[in-house]
Amino acid sequence: MMVKITPPDCIIEHYLREKTINAVIDTLENIAFMEIIPSKLVTPYDEALACLSAEILINTPFSGKLRLVLSKALVKQLVLNSYPSEGIEIREGQFVFEDINRNQIPEDTLEDSLREIVNIVTGRLMTDLIPDNQSYEIGLPEISADAFLGFEGASLCIEFFAEGHPFWLMLFGDGFINSPIINPKQ
Amino acid sequence: MNKILIVDDSKTSRMFIKMCLEVAIPEIKAGTFYEAENGKEALALLNDNEAELVIMDLNMPLMDGSTLLRWMKDNDQLKNIPVIVITSTNNAAKRDELLQMGADHILSKPVSPAKLAPIVKAITQDTTDLDTYGA
């Protein structure tokens, strides 16, 4: 059953959605040179889809959380797009991109990359939302133990597509909607 | 020995920074860098090794970049080492705070070779020997 997210009436929600989309698109297009397409709907989660989920807490000026859920296949593609395959050397035995088949990216590399992505997206979003003269603090990105796409309770959930793969970003916390610090510019 | 210290809890981020610099600055070779996953490790490395430049993230476990920067600027032996901060939290308030704390340059993640390399080159160009040795 399709879950339809109707376009919000509230200006603040629309503003938040727009800023969130921009943060995701700018980050991933700059990192991985992928075209990112936001969807107005949220399709049902496929339990057979192997996913990775990363979260980061917003500590100040309000409490909140950002969660990013991507299929492992998409994370792998992001990693491969981000780093050239030629001329990569093994240094201190830590690099794997010399593998000819490029199929053996370790799980910890996928998780590390996803943590970085969620970190950058969150920083970009908060920079866009918070007035320039006010500081904000975010936590350390963490891989969620459960990659299940649970957006119940989310203030906002947006689905995107990258090279045909869906992925999801969720914002949790009333602060994203109710904080007086976030003032939509009209 | 002139080394560049990269401080970031993300291995892929450290690798990307090294790649940016090795591609853009021919004088930089394998062995120019050493790495730390957090501020605490970075301080230990700086106490035992000379560094020409520190490139650091802010958001790290154990000791974050702001604390590391404060420690460096409070230490007579470390305070003159140039510091480039590469961070995802980069609005005007944070930039002003970091500059007041003594950071020399602040760049936003994701960093690009076009932005990072000229800064590193300008800092290191008066040192023609970037000594290299095996890891």
Side-chain angles (χ1 to χ4, degrees):
Chain A
M1 180 184 300
M2 299 283 280
V3 176
K4 183 178 179 184
I5 306 295
T6 56
D9 297 325
C10 176
I11 291 175
I12 292 178
E13 287 185 13
H14 177 71
Y15 177 80
L16 180 62
R17 180 181 167 86
E18 182 184 314
K19 292 299 180 185
T20 304
I21 289 172
N22 289 343
V24 170
I25 290 177
D26 285 352
T27 299
L28 293 185
E29 289 187 349
N30 278 320
I31 286 177
F33 313 106
M34 277 183 178
E35 184 182 16
I36 308 297
I37 302 172
S39 170
K40 290 189 179 178
L41 300 175
V42 178
T43 50
Y45 176 66
D46 181 358
E47 291 184 5
L49 188 65
C51 282
L52 281 176
S53 175
E55 298 183 340
I56 194 165
L57 294 179
I58 315 298
N59 297 323
T60 61
F62 56 82
S63 295
K65 182 167 64 179
L66 185 149
R67 177 188 296 159
L68 198 56
V69 182
L70 283 72
S71 66
K72 287 188 180 180
L74 180 55
V75 179
K76 178 183 167 186
Q77 193 58 53
L78 288 169
V79 172
L80 292 175
N81 281 19
S82 302
Y83 302 100
S85 59
E86 295 180 6
I88 301 296
E89 301 171 10
I90 299 176
R91 298 188 186 92
E92 301 175 347
Q94 288 182 9
F95 298 160
V96 297
F97 299 114
E98 82 290 350
D99 184 78
I100 294 174
N101 291 327
R102 306 179 82 204
N103 285 327
Q104 297 179 5
I105 299 176
E107 186 87 355
D108 63 350
T109 300
L110 295 180
E111 292 179 354
D112 185 49
S113 299
L114 183 55
R115 279 195 291 266
E116 265 303 281
I117 289 169
V118 79
N119 184 39
I120 295 171
V121 169
T122 305
R124 170 59 196 275
L125 176 61
M126 294 300 289
T127 296
D128 283 352
L129 289 178
I130 303 299
D132 219 24
N133 61 353
Q134 179 155 354
S135 60
Y136 61 86
E137 296 291 335
I138 60 178
L140 294 172
E142 292 181 356
I143 297 296
S144 301
D146 184 0
F148 175 68
L149 175 59
F151 53 83
E152 185 177 335
S155 298
L156 183 69
C157 177
I158 305 175
E159 183 177 73
F160 300 83
F161 285 86
E163 300 198 349
H165 297 281
F167 67 97
W168 303 266
L169 184 145
M170 285 150 273
L171 298 178
F172 296 85
D174 292 340
F176 282 109
I177 303 294
N178 298 328
S179 171
I181 293 169
I182 297 176
N183 294 307
K185 299 176 180 61
Q186 300 191 19
Chain B
M1 295 177 182
N2 299 310
K3 304 277 276 184
I4 298 175
L5 173 61
I6 300 174
V7 192
D8 197 314
D9 57 327
S10 164
K11 185 174 73 173
T12 48
S13 188
R14 296 195 306 269
M15 181 179 73
F16 187 74
I17 291 171
K18 287 192 290 184
M19 281 170 48
C20 282
L21 297 180
E22 288 174 7
V23 167
I25 306 176
E27 295 82 7
I28 287 182
K29 303 176 182 62
T32 299
F33 306 101
Y34 48 23
E35 301 173 44
E37 292 187 353
N38 54 65
K40 194 174 175 184
E41 276 186 24
L43 276 180
L45 282 169
L46 288 169
N47 283 332
D48 293 337
N49 303 275
E50 287 192 18
E52 185 177 12
L53 169 65
V54 175
I55 301 173
M56 68 166 74
D57 183 19
L58 281 187
N59 220 14
M60 296 181 288
L62 289 183
M63 182 188 288
D64 64 18
S66 296
T67 306
L68 171 61
L69 183 58
R70 269 194 288 270
W71 271 87
M72 287 180 64
K73 295 307 173 183
D74 285 344
N75 184 309
D76 286 340
Q77 290 187 320
L78 304 179
K79 65 183 180 183
N80 294 321
I81 300 174
V83 174
I84 299 173
V85 176
I86 302 178
T87 177
S88 61
T89 55
N90 190 10
N91 66 353
K94 180 57 76 175
R95 281 197 299 274
D96 288 345
E97 179 187 333
L98 291 169
L99 289 172
Q100 284 181 10
M101 287 168 62
D104 295 272
H105 301 275
I106 298 117
L107 296 175
S108 294
K109 284 188 176 182
V111 70
S112 69
K115 289 186 179 173
L116 178 61
I119 296 174
V120 173
K121 201 166 186 179
I123 290 171
T124 59
Q125 69 179 3
D126 61 348
T127 304
T128 54
D129 289 332
L130 281 171
D131 290 342
T132 63
Y133 57 82

